[in-house]
């Protein structure tokens, strides 16, 4: 795993594959430090075999996505809460 | 601008390279024909997937450079990254008529919507200008009245993308201003030495915080952090500063 200098914006496609709502605009609250911000702002580590998104404040892992050929593993244990905008886009 | 489909089932499509043009010595714009393209908002991305004959595949997320005008074409501007397994293919090998897999549009956070009425400050570092250019083009396409200012940081005049088009738009798109910042080498006769973007730059060529501008900052991580911190220090509302970082490592 290396920090490629990317952020959560680059996860938009992998998240759109599994969520009905647009998730980079969701607000994630870090289970580690309690700070919150857009998923787009998380610091992204990657790439294969998965993506790891860390809190920009405390660097704790908030979200992990591992893509297998026929399924996706999503680990959200670092997110205390996800606030997801719905309705008008 | 017609309302673009932001949601909907995401599928891989096979796009075809219709045209390509060099923007700089290391950046190439790809004009792609995409079947049944649903339209996009400026700032949105596509994922591009390359698959080798042995099944190995590599995927990257790229910002769309063009504004959607109702047709089935999108433009991507790809910066060649030394040793980048995807970017070097797209800049050096991919030729007109070749297919490529892509899916999108994706992303709904780093986007500008026509209904936003606030003045807009765009701050781009290097190829971070790409999604900002899509915003400038989208505003131009609908003759938007929102005042736009673009501060575009590049190493040298030769490294700047879209210079001809930006010059034309400064003339034709009322309410658009562009300020270049040269970090290594300036054009001849430029009034200041080469330097990085500073608080003074953002203060002089951006909007005062009380105008409540929507700020979009895109570029390499260090550039984005620095510029966003300076905007906050100048008094801009952090909630109105949207950022996008790209690594430049692939």
């Amino acid at each position: 795993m290396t920090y490629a200098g990317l952020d959560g914006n680059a996860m938009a496609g992998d998240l759109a594959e599994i969520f009905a709502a647009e998730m980079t605009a969701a607000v994630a609250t870090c289970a580690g430090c309690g700070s919150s911000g857009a998923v787009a702002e998380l610091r992204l580590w990657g790439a294969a075999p998965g993506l790891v998104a860390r809190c920009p404040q405390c660097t704790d892992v908030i979200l992990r996505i591992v893509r297998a050929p026929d399924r996706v593993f999503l680990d959200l244990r670092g997110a205390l809460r996800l606030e997801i905008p719905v309705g008008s886009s | 601008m017609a309302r673009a489909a932001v949601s909907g089932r995401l599928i891989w499509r096979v796009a075809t390279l219709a045209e390509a043009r060099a923007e700089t010595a290391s950046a190439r714009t790809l004009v792609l024909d995409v079947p049944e393209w649903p339209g996009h908002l400026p700032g949105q991305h596509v994922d591009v997937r390359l698959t080798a004959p042995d099944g190995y595949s590599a995927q990257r997320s790229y910002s769309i450079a063009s504004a959607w005008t109702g047709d089935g074409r999108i433009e991507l501007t790809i910066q060649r990254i030394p040793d980048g397994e995807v970017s070097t293919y797209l800049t050096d090998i991919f030729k007109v008529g070749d297919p490529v897999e892509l899916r999108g549009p994706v992303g709904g956070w780093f986007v500008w919507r026509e209904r936003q009425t606030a003045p807009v400050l765009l701050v781009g570092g290097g190829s971070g200008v790409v999604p900002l250019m899509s915003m400038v083009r989208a505003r131009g396409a609908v003759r938007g009245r929102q005042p736009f200012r673009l501060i575009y940081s590049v190493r040298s005049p030769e490294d700047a993308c879209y210079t001809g088009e930006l010059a034309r738009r400064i003339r034709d798109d009322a309410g658009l201003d562009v300020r270049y910042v040269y970090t290594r080498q300036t054009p001849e006769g430029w009034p200041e030495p080469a330097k990085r973007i500073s608080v003074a730059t953002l203060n002089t060529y951006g909007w005062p915080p009380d105008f409540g501008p929507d700020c979009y900052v895109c570029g390499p991580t260090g550039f984005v952090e620095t510029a966003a911190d300076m905007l906050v220090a100048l008094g801009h509302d952090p909630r109105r500063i949207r950022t996008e970082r790209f690594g430049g490592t692939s």
Side-chain angles (χ1 to χ4, degrees):
Chain A
M1 283 285 166
T2 52
Y3 179 54
L6 294 170
D7 62 23
N9 288 295
M11 279 195 300
D14 289 305
L15 292 169
E17 192 176 8
I18 51 177
F19 285 95
E22 204 295 298
M23 291 299 290
T24 62
V27 174
T29 302
C30 175
C33 70
S35 67
S36 57
V39 168
E41 296 274 30
L42 300 177
R43 302 301 186 264
L44 194 62
W45 295 59
L51 297 171
V52 173
R54 292 176 176 271
C55 173
Q57 304 299 326
C58 74
T59 73
D60 271 8
V61 174
I62 290 192
L63 182 157
R64 268 189 280 230
I65 301 178
V66 176
R67 185 74 168 79
D70 62 344
R71 65 198 62 207
V72 176
F73 298 89
L74 175 65
D75 178 343
L76 275 169
R77 94 184 84 168
L80 200 60
R81 183 173 68 237
L82 283 172
E83 179 186 326
I84 302 162
V86 291
S88 71
S89 59
Chain B
M1 172 168 41
R3 194 184 131 88
V6 177
S7 58
R9 181 147 170 72
L10 189 63
I11 52 165
W12 288 100
R13 303 168 198 272
V14 178
T16 307
L17 185 64
E19 289 170 36
R21 54 180 184 265
E23 297 288 353
T24 69
S26 60
R28 184 189 194 203
T29 289
L30 311 177
V31 183
L32 296 160
D33 271 327
V34 191
E36 295 173 50
W37 181 247
H40 63 273
L41 297 167
Q44 284 193 296
H45 296 220
V46 291
D47 288 340
V48 173
R49 181 166 73 180
L50 302 180
T51 305
D54 66 0
Y56 171 77
S57 82
Q59 180 185 321
R60 297 288 184 274
S61 181
Y62 288 108
S63 292
I64 301 170
S66 51
W68 188 49
T69 50
D71 62 3
R73 285 197 164 179
I74 61 168
E75 296 186 11
L76 308 179
T77 300
I78 312 293
Q79 177 71 40
R80 182 193 301 117
I81 309 297
D83 302 325
E85 58 181 1
V86 175
S87 68
T88 51
Y89 174 79
L90 295 175
T91 53
D92 300 354
I93 298 166
F94 191 46
K95 61 180 192 301
V96 170
D98 284 350
V100 69
E101 280 189 293
L102 64 78
R103 66 178 181 184
V106 295
W109 192 74
F110 195 83
V111 298
W112 178 75
R113 292 172 170 85
E114 193 189 330
R115 65 165 189 257
Q116 290 173 226
T117 53
V120 170
L121 173 62
L122 307 172
V123 184
S127 50
V129 76
V130 173
L132 311 180
M133 191 63 186
S134 180
M135 296 175 190
V136 167
R137 286 168 165 164
R139 173 186 180 275
V142 297
R143 300 190 159 274
R145 307 311 297 176
Q146 301 91 332
F148 262 45
R149 286 182 173 173
L150 167 63
I151 299 176
Y152 182 11
S153 171
V154 285
R155 282 184 298 189
S156 72
E158 292 74 39
D159 290 302
C161 291
Y162 316 128
T163 47
E165 181 180 341
L166 283 171
R168 178 179 62 72
R169 288 188 178 277
I170 293 166
R171 190 190 62 213
D172 297 343
D173 294 7
L176 170 69
D177 286 315
V178 179
R179 175 69 186 191
Y180 291 92
V181 174
Y182 300 99
T183 61
R184 298 216 187 139
Q185 187 206 323
T186 66
E188 230 165 279
W190 192 249
E192 51 189 19
K195 62 181 177 74
R196 289 179 182 275
I197 202 165
S198 65
V199 170
T201 316
L202 294 172
N203 197 31
T204 307
Y205 302 105
W207 299 107
D210 14 330
F211 284 24
D214 292 324
C215 303
Y216 295 86
V217 185
C218 185
T221 303
F223 175 88
V224 169
E225 304 292 335
T226 304
D229 285 351
M230 291 190 295
L231 288 170
V232 172
L234 283 168
H236 289 272
D237 182 350
R239 289 168 302 183
R240 303 193 81 142
I241 303 170
R242 294 184 180 223
T243 54
E244 181 166 302
R245 297 155 188 79
F246 62 81
T249 56
S250 57

